[in-house]
Amino acid sequence: MTTRTAEQTLADASAWWDTSIIDIHPGKIAIRGYPIEQLIGRVRFPEMIWLMLRGELPSPEQAELLEAALVPGVDHGPHAPSIAISRMAVTCGLPVNGAMASAINVLDDIHGGAGQQCMERYHEIDVLAGAEGDLVESATTVLERHRAAGEKIMPGFGHRFHPVDPRTAPLFELLARAEARGTIGGRFARIGRAVEVALQKPKGRLIPMNIDGITAVIFCELGFEPELGRGLFILSRSVGILAHAWEQKQRGRRIMGPMPREIPFKYSGPARRDLPAEFAARGTRTRT
Ligand SMILES: CC(C)(COP(=O)(O)OP(=O)(O)OC[C@H]1O[C@@H](n2cnc3c(N)ncnc32)[C@H](O)[C@@H]1OP(=O)(O)O)[C@@H](O)C(=O)NCCC(=O)NCCS
């Protein structure tokens, strides 16, 4: 075994959590090199998110688009599992942090987290189409590829509740404005539209882009990695999760399940029956 000097051990320990994000010394904090006292009051929260995730400050136009994408996902009411879980957790006595952690846990592939997979599919279409390829054709091929692999649902499209998601059109308008200003290239907006067309063909009806699909377009246009897209959605939904946890806390009710007790759930197991004879013969056990 090689002997290590105290200096080497100290250097290794310092490098253990090597980070390029923040530098802290007594009385001094700098994020990505910028002193915190310069950031406070000058940098808006979406700009701060960008700085933290990307290492540099965004242009005002990029920040505006990111901010717009973070607004509509904050809440989708107590029917959304993430919001319901937050409220139920509070009625079970969990503090705000426990309620938020419980709710965030369900923001995975199917609920809330579909944006990440959607971004991955958009990138797949982008690569397949290359510079010259037709986007609808490439989208059709990618959808077929996934269908053949047993994944018949295209994440980011369709909705249980909304025939047309009211959050999509205003964000498309902002994308068009950002493209006209040269903030984004508009390629992923066109890919999103192409997916809508490709999905409509076999079904003969529109399966419209939902909030995950449109925010996936924005995050792709802004150059975020797919996994960060999911994280950004979670940041946004966390606001609603917190608000609902807080509101429920003020109500002070205890142990609320997903439905009022008076509404029965459907039972689909065996009909009432007697225990088999060998169990019935045991008599009633008494605790001593
Ligand atoms: C949200 C969702 C669960 C609604 O599904 P649903 O209730 O079955 O939707 P509908 O009743 O409107 O659609 C029925 C048909 O369209 C198909 N369909 C719906 N969304 C689809 C999608 N995104 N991709 C491909 N096909 C889809 C269904 O498979 C079904 O086909 P079938 O009749 O051959 O069985 C579904 O669209 C979905 O899983 N979307 C992707 C996940 C997502 O983006 N989640 C975030 C929602 S904000």
Side-chain angles (χ1 to χ4, degrees):
M1 205 174 123
T2 53
T3 42
R4 300 166 55 74
T5 64
E7 287 75 20
Q8 280 170 329
T9 305
L10 184 61
D12 285 352
S14 299
W16 191 255
W17 295 120
D18 178 347
T19 175
S20 60
I21 299 173
I22 189 162
D23 191 24
I24 304 184
H25 296 281
K28 286 192 187 343
I29 302 171
I31 292 179
R32 301 286 193 191
Y34 296 117
I36 196 74
E37 54 273 30
Q38 290 185 22
L39 293 168
I40 293 170
R42 294 188 180 90
V43 170
R44 287 159 47 201
F45 195 52
E47 293 167 329
M48 197 64 196
I49 293 172
W50 188 296
L51 178 65
M52 288 293 287
L53 297 178
R54 306 282 287 269
E56 295 298 336
L57 285 161
S59 70
E61 295 79 13
Q62 287 171 321
E64 201 177 286
L65 203 51
L66 174 62
E67 187 170 23
L70 294 176
V71 167
V74 292
D75 194 4
H76 202 249
H79 276 152
S82 48
I83 300 294
I85 287 168
S86 170
R87 299 192 76 116
M88 283 192 284
V90 164
T91 71
C92 295
L94 264 69
V96 157
N97 61 321
M100 291 183 77
S102 306
I104 287 169
N105 250 331
V106 297
L107 294 173
D108 206 79
D109 289 354
I110 294 168
H111 169 47
Q116 176 181 343
Q117 301 156 299
C118 184
M119 288 172 78
E120 284 160 3
R121 303 269 179 101
Y122 288 160
H123 280 295
E124 213 178 316
I125 296 164
D126 177 38
V127 170
L128 183 67
E132 304 292 328
D134 180 80
L135 289 180
V136 175
E137 261 174 41
S138 302
T140 305
T141 306
V142 167
L143 288 176
E144 275 164 7
R145 215 185 257 173
H146 283 272
R147 229 174 268 135
E151 299 158 0
K152 70 169 195 158
I153 297 292
M154 168 69 197
F157 291 77
H159 210 285
R160 283 257 148 89
F161 198 74
H162 304 295
V164 173
D165 194 322
R167 300 166 288 191
T168 306
L171 289 174
F172 257 123
E173 273 171 37
L174 291 179
L175 278 165
R177 215 186 303 161
E179 188 181 350
R181 288 195 296 199
T183 310
I184 57 162
R187 166 93 167 164
F188 288 96
R190 282 187 280 285
I191 289 175
R193 286 294 192 209
V195 171
E196 226 168 31
V197 174
L199 272 174
Q200 189 165 5
K201 274 196 286 182
K203 287 276 165 221
R205 68 173 183 86
L206 184 69
I207 299 176
M209 189 186 285
N210 62 38
I211 182 68
D212 287 331
I214 185 68
T215 50
V217 166
I218 296 179
F219 298 148
C220 284
E221 290 284 0
L222 293 176
F224 285 96
E225 293 296 324
E227 217 171 330
L228 284 180
R230 177 170 299 187
L232 287 167
F233 181 85
I234 292 171
L235 286 181
S236 166
R237 179 53 59 87
S238 294
V239 177
I241 288 170
L242 172 60
H244 281 270
W246 187 244
E247 183 183 68
Q248 192 59 51
K249 210 171 163 67
Q250 312 313 307
R251 305 267 158 96
R253 288 188 60 184
R254 287 157 54 86
I255 313 190
M256 287 174 72
M259 283 191 301
R261 252 189 328 207
E262 298 71 32
I263 299 177
F265 56 87
K266 184 181 169 209
Y267 173 68
S268 52
R272 291 285 166 124
R273 53 186 169 162
D274 289 327
L275 268 178
E278 65 271 28
F279 285 89
R282 287 179 183 172
T284 311
R285 267 202 252 170
T286 50
R287 288 182 196 278
T288 50

